[in-house]
């Protein structure tokens, strides 16, 4: 009987054959590089399949590596397939231009090779949302290594009129191009970057007459980040502009846009260009690691992690922590836990490593069961617990409404002479207020102040959120006033807490204006919250007003935004408009979930039946005869 790993590999070979057959049937000239927009990823996958199929000296060696490390409920043996490819073409090593060695790093969803290449079986686990985010959003659990790779943009306060005019002119030219219209033409090869050859596009941008600067490029990329083709067109044009050469910040912005749209091979081409110019830094690779983790491509994330050595960057425990943080941030916590245990010899256990995984189970996945299991595992392994450890487990108990456990852990900290920090106090205050013990929560707030720990916005949010949820509007407003008197600026969580209890359209927009005056501006989650609220109130004018504002800010670029609007329109019986938004979503290559697909397809079927009554009646008569 064949090993599962062998079967996986044979399936991959079969898929490669099918891919080649389809490509050749659809385009006999697929090997000819004509002046058109060719997807770098499409060509790479095609060439990779060809290389595997044409490789006539493929040798498979199978070995078993038994690992008896304790994995909690997933304890057991693991098998690792060692694949040895005696002859690999250069294309198989794109985009690294070298072979990667992956030492004993594996997870439940992957099979890694220790030879010149890796064989992966990528599974895309369902994303577990865990508990309602709003239920625990006032508890802070930040990790300094979790800095996002979102695109930087120029702060509004430092913009000048000339800068704004230049941005507007560039954006106007790019809109005339459009992602579905007159796209630029690229030429791709395995060793060089795509080059714009579309004269019309170049002429339109050249006629802008703007002075290309680093700030201008970053701002335009920020505005066009939802359409990678348009952003990439502009980036390549700007790079050819006299007197300007893209630097690290611009490269990182473009790489982030490409990687977010899963154009990883094109992103690697930019990294190779940075390497040739000597400006690659560790953060460049961290962007790729995070984006791979975001799409649950754990093998590529680990491959990139080991590329640190290839770029002559230091690879130590801090970098390993950043890998674990990236994995847990995007809900690959089980994989991160397995990597932690399988690399004990290379990266010895320490408290921070375990805290990263614990925080993942407690605050990212939000699973009390797994959090408690890993907490007991830390104790069994003799890991020294610190204030961060207690902060994570207490927040987990808070989310699952286990007030007694929260208070027990809080007292345990004191017994172990571990002084609670502000995050611990915030979590306990939130647990008390959430459990209906507002007076005790207020008392703990005063105790916290007496101990010299200054409350922050999250501390007040820990009280404001439960008070708003309990519809105690006056108490919440009083606390909000105290927060302002303390010189604290409200944040987005404060805004969301109060938005939930607004009763009219006037109250909502008055609150938004007030928060903006205080420097608290709405974000994507704010708009989605309000779209749901106005859909329930059947105020579609406000719904589309907010949707257009989201589009202007580039915030309607994901599946969740479109699905929220589609379901809201269905709720209001606006089915034609829901189908229009659904079609727009598909045009952007965004994938709707099964429920949304079912809603749309059912409506289309019913619409077709209603528009063809003769056919429908005929079908019913035929059915009657058969029966």
């Amino acid at each position: 009987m064949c090993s599962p790993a062998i079967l996986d590999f044979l399936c991959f070979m079969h898929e490669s054959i099918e891919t080649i057959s389809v490509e050749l049937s659809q385009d006999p000239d697929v090997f000819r590089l004509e002046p058109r927009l060719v997807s770098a990823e499409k060509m790479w996958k095609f060439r990779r399949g060809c290389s595997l199929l044409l490789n006539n000296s493929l040798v498979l060696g199978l070995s078993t590596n038994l690992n008896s490390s304790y994995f909690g409920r997933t304890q057991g043996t693991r098998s690792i397939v060692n694949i040895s490819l005696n002859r690999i073409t250069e294309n198989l090593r794109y985009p690294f231009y070298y072979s990667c060695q992956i030492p004993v790093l594996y997870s439940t969803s992957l099979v890694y090779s220790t030879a010149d290449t890796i064989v992966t079986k990528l599974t895309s686990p369902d994303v577990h949302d865990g508990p309602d985010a709003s239920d625990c959003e006032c508890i802070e659990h930040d990790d300094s290594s979790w800095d996002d790779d979102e695109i930087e943009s120029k702060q509004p306060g430092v913009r000048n009129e000339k800068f704004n005019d230049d941005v507007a002119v560039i954006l106007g030219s790019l809109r005339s191009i459009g992602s579905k219209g007159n796209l630029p033409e690229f030429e791709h090869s395995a060793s060089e970057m795509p080059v714009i050859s579309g004269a019309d596009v170049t002429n339109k941008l050249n006629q802008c007459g703007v002075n290309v600067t680093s700030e201008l490029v970053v701002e335009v990329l920020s505005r066009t980040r939802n359409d990678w083709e348009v952003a990439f067109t502009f980036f390549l044009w700007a790079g050819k502009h006299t007197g300007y050469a893209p630097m690290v910040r611009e490269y990182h912005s473009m790489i982030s846009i490409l990687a977010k749209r899963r154009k990883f091979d094109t992103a690697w081409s930019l990294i190779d260009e940075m390497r040739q110019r000597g400006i690659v830094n560790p953060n460049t690779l961290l962007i790729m690691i995070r984006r791979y983790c975001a799409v649950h491509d754990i093998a590529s994330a680990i491959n990139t992690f080991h590329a640190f050595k290839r770029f002559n960057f230091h690879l130590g425990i801090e970098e390993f922590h950043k890998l674990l943080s990236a994995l847990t941030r995007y809900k690959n916590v089980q994989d991160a836990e397995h990597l932690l245990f399988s690399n004990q010899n290379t990266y010895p256990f320490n408290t921070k490593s375990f805290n990263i995984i614990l925080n993942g189970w407690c605050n990212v996945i939000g699973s009390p069961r797994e959090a408690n299991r890993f907490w007991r595992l830390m104790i069994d392994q003799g890991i020294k617990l610190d204030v961060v450890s207690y902060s994570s487990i207490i927040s987990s108990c808070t989310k699952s409404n286990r007030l007694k456990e929260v208070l027990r852990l809080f007292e345990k900290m004191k017994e172990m002479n571990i002084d609670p920090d502000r995050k611990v106090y915030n979590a306990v205050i939130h647990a008390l207020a959430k459990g209906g013990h507002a007076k005790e929560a207020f008392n703990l707030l005063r105790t916290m102040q007496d101990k010299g720990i200054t409350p922050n916005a999250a501390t007040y949010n820990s009280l404001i959120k439960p008070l708003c949820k309990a519809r105690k509007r006056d108490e919440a407003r009083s606390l909000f006033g105290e927060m302002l008197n303390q010189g604290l600026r409200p944040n987005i969580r404060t805004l969301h807490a109060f938005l939930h209890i607004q009763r009219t359209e006037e109250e909502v927009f008055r609150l938004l204006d007030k928060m903006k005056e205080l420097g608290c501006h709405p974000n994507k989650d704010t708009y989605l919250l309000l779209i749901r609220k106005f859909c329930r109130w059947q105020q579609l004018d406000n719904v589309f007003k907010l949707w257009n504002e989201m589009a202007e800010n580039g915030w309607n670029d994901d599946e969740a935004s479109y699905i929220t609007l589609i379901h809201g329109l269905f709720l209001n019986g606006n089915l034609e408009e829901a189908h229009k938004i659904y079609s727009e979503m598909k045009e952007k290559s965004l994938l709707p979930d099964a429920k949304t697909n079912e809603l749309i397809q059912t409506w289309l079927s019913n619409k077709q039946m209603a528009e063809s009554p003769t056919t429908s009646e005929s079908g019913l008569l035929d059915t009657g005869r058969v029966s």
Side-chain angles (χ1 to χ4, degrees), residues 582-598:
Y582 176 84
S583 300
E584 180 183 320
M585 179 183 185
K586 301 276 286 198
E587 287 176 4
K588 289 188 175 182
S589 300
L590 299 175
L591 301 177
D593 62 346
K595 185 178 179 181
T596 305
N597 268 328
E598 184 180 356

Side-chain angles (χ1 to χ4, degrees), residues 347-358:
Y347 304 106
F349 290 164
N350 64 21
T351 301
K352 183 173 181 179
S353 300
F354 277 81
N355 281 344
I356 292 170
I357 310 300
L358 179 65

Side-chain angles (χ1 to χ4, degrees), residues 10 58 122 196 217 343 359 528 532 545 597:
L10 292 175
L58 181 66
L122 295 180
I196 296 181
V217 172
N343 287 273
N359 184 62
L528 294 182
R532 294 188 190 98
K545 174 184 176 182
N597 268 328

Side-chain angles (χ1 to χ4, degrees), residues 331-465:
K331 302 191 177 184
N332 308 292
V333 183
Q334 188 175 18
D335 293 294
E337 182 178 338
H338 292 164
L339 293 181
L340 172 66
F341 279 97
S342 62
N343 287 273
Q344 180 180 358
N345 295 332
T346 307
Y347 304 106
F349 290 164
N350 64 21
T351 301
K352 183 173 181 179
S353 300
F354 277 81
N355 281 344
I356 292 170
I357 310 300
L358 179 65
N359 184 62
W361 288 125
C362 292
N363 299 303
V364 181
I365 298 297
S367 169
R369 179 181 176 182
E370 290 299 316
N372 291 335
R373 175 190 65 79
F374 196 76
W375 176 260
R376 292 193 300 269
L377 178 59
M378 290 177 68
I379 296 173
D380 293 341
Q381 291 284 337
I383 302 300
K384 183 180 179 180
L385 304 175
D386 62 8
V387 66
V388 177
S389 312
Y390 276 97
S391 176
S392 295
I393 194 65
I394 286 175
S395 73
S396 175
C397 296
T398 298
K399 294 171 190 177
S400 53
N401 300 318
R402 291 183 290 157
L403 179 57
K404 290 183 179 179
E405 187 67 13
V406 168
L407 297 177
R408 187 189 68 80
L409 289 167
F410 189 55
E411 291 300 320
K412 184 68 175 177
M413 288 185 67
K414 297 177 183 177
E415 294 175 9
M416 298 182 65
N417 295 320
I418 300 175
D419 294 328
D421 63 2
R422 186 163 53 196
K423 291 181 181 179
V424 173
Y425 275 111
N426 289 352
V428 178
I429 288 171
H430 182 63
L432 287 168
K434 186 179 174 184
H437 302 280
K439 182 178 179 181
E440 289 79 1
F442 277 111
N443 291 338
L444 188 59
L445 173 62
R446 304 309 175 204
T447 301
M448 173 183 174
Q449 292 172 316
D450 292 341
K451 289 183 176 291
I453 301 176
T454 306
N456 62 0
T459 311
Y460 284 96
N461 288 339
S462 297
L463 280 164
I464 289 173
K465 170 68 180 181

Side-chain angles (χ1 to χ4, degrees), residues 439-611:
K439 182 178 179 181
E440 289 79 1
F442 277 111
N443 291 338
L444 188 59
L445 173 62
R446 304 309 175 204
T447 301
M448 173 183 174
Q449 292 172 316
D450 292 341
K451 289 183 176 291
I453 301 176
T454 306
N456 62 0
T459 311
Y460 284 96
N461 288 339
S462 297
L463 280 164
I464 289 173
K465 170 68 180 181
L467 289 173
C468 288
K469 196 170 184 179
R471 299 293 172 179
K472 296 182 178 180
R473 295 161 61 98
D474 293 339
E475 292 90 334
R477 288 181 181 134
S478 174
L479 203 61
F480 180 64
E482 180 181 329
M483 177 181 175
L484 296 180
N485 292 335
Q486 293 288 335
L488 296 174
R489 179 178 294 181
N491 59 28
I492 198 65
R493 291 162 180 168
T494 321
L495 171 61
H496 290 174
F498 281 107
L499 281 176
H500 278 292
I501 60 172
Q502 302 310 304
R503 298 167 179 168
T504 65
E505 170 189 354
E506 292 75 16
E507 287 184 354
V508 167
F509 287 109
R510 193 184 308 125
L511 176 63
L512 285 176
D513 292 339
K514 177 65 176 177
M515 286 294 187
K516 288 177 182 177
E517 291 175 11
L518 295 171
C520 177
H521 296 274
N523 63 10
K524 179 190 290 187
D525 292 333
T526 312
Y527 281 99
L528 294 182
L529 184 159
L530 291 177
I531 283 175
R532 294 188 190 98
K533 182 180 283 288
F534 283 123
C535 281
R536 289 195 301 270
W537 291 352
Q538 298 183 340
Q539 297 181 8
L540 294 185
D541 289 343
N542 285 326
V543 169
F544 286 109
K545 174 184 176 182
L546 293 168
W547 181 256
N548 292 333
E549 287 183 16
M550 286 184 71
E552 290 174 6
N553 288 288
W555 286 340
N556 64 342
D557 60 342
D558 62 345
E559 290 88 348
S561 301
Y562 275 92
I563 290 171
T564 297
L565 180 59
I566 291 169
H567 283 251
L569 293 172
F570 258 90
L571 179 68
N572 285 271
N574 200 334
L575 308 183
E576 291 285 354
E577 193 65 33
H579 181 251
K580 179 181 176 182
I581 298 297
Y582 176 84
S583 300
E584 180 183 320
M585 179 183 185
K586 301 276 286 198
E587 287 176 4
K588 289 188 175 182
S589 300
L590 299 175
L591 301 177
D593 62 346
K595 185 178 179 181
T596 305
N597 268 328
E598 184 180 356
L599 281 174
I600 294 293
Q601 297 306 322
T602 301
W603 173 73
L604 285 175
S605 298
N606 292 337
K607 181 182 178 183
Q608 290 173 359
M609 290 177 64
E611 291 175 351

Side-chain angles (χ1 to χ4, degrees), residues 276-342:
Q276 293 173 9
R277 293 181 55 191
I279 58 175
V280 177
N281 62 40
N283 287 332
T284 311
L285 300 183
L286 281 175
I287 291 174
M288 298 298 290
I289 288 174
R290 292 184 187 119
R291 296 324 311 171
Y292 281 129
C293 290
V295 298
H296 310 297
D297 188 348
I298 315 303
S300 296
I302 295 171
N303 197 10
T304 307
F305 172 71
H306 285 281
F308 271 71
K309 291 183 178 179
R310 307 293 180 177
F311 285 89
N312 296 318
F313 298 143
H314 176 71
L315 190 60
I317 189 66
E318 290 186 9
E319 288 69 30
F320 186 62
H321 286 161
K322 290 177 181 177
L323 172 62
L324 294 179
S325 294
L327 287 167
T328 56
R329 179 181 191 177
Y330 295 103
K331 302 191 177 184
N332 308 292
V333 183
Q334 188 175 18
D335 293 294
E337 182 178 338
H338 292 164
L339 293 181
L340 172 66
F341 279 97
S342 62

